[in-house]
Amino acid sequence: MAAQSDLETEETRKVSASEEQYFYRIFLNGSLDENPKNYRMASPLRHLDENDPPVFFVCGSIDGISTQGENFRNKMDVLGIDNDVFVIDGAPHVFLTNPDWKARALNYTAAKLDTYLKN
């Protein structure tokens, strides 16, 4: 849900260098420019292979485009792994605080889990 799956993007480079956005610098011991090895190792995109299960992204439409996992989903397509993204119209990054957005996210997630866990 609203996950970052590629930590080597230009957006991550900008955010990790920002004084206001210190999460990346604390988590990965510096900015992307200062510590690219840690970002590469922590990036889920770098760890995908043909043995991975389906992955489904849930995010808000007014969240950053990076939470839709486009690069991750493209690589999954190449590997032949099922994937999808469900974008909640009008929702921000913190969409679980709104009962309607939360219900939509959970209904989508339950349907996906139901499909794959029954098989």
Side-chain angles (χ1 to χ4, degrees), residues 36-57:
K37 181 180 176 185
N38 281 4
Y39 282 75
R40 185 172 43 257
M41 289 174 56
S43 185
L45 180 67
R46 292 289 188 147
H47 300 281
L48 269 176
D49 68 37
E50 64 277 352
N51 298 310
D52 286 320
V55 174
F56 306 100
F57 290 82

Side-chain angles (χ1 to χ4, degrees), residues 45-94:
L45 180 67
R46 292 289 188 147
H47 300 281
L48 269 176
D49 68 37
E50 64 277 352
N51 298 310
D52 286 320
V55 174
F56 306 100
F57 290 82
V58 180
C59 59
S61 66
I62 59 174
D63 195 1
I65 192 76
S66 63
T67 62
Q68 295 182 15
E70 183 177 5
N71 294 340
F72 195 84
R73 290 182 296 109
N74 288 341
K75 186 170 179 182
M76 291 190 86
D77 287 342
V78 169
L79 294 170
I81 302 169
D82 197 14
N83 65 87
D84 193 19
V85 62
F86 178 63
V87 181
I88 303 168
D89 189 44
H93 183 69
V94 186

Side-chain angles (χ1 to χ4, degrees), residues 53-54 56 109-119:
F56 306 100
T109 303
K112 287 295 185 181
L113 290 173
D114 192 50
T115 297
Y116 285 91
L117 294 179
K118 282 188 174 181
N119 293 329

Side-chain angles (χ1 to χ4, degrees), residues 8 10-11 15-16 20 25 27 34-35 38-39 50 53 67-68 83 85 100 109 114:
E8 298 177 279
E10 188 57 35
E11 180 181 352
V15 170
S16 71
E20 295 84 37
R25 290 194 314 278
F27 177 59
E34 295 166 332
N35 204 337
N38 281 4
Y39 282 75
E50 64 277 352
T67 62
Q68 295 182 15
N83 65 87
V85 62
D100 179 55
T109 303
D114 192 50

Side-chain angles (χ1 to χ4, degrees), residues 4 16 19 33 55 97 107:
Q4 296 296 327
S16 71
E19 290 300 318
D33 286 331
V55 174
T97 58
N107 287 337

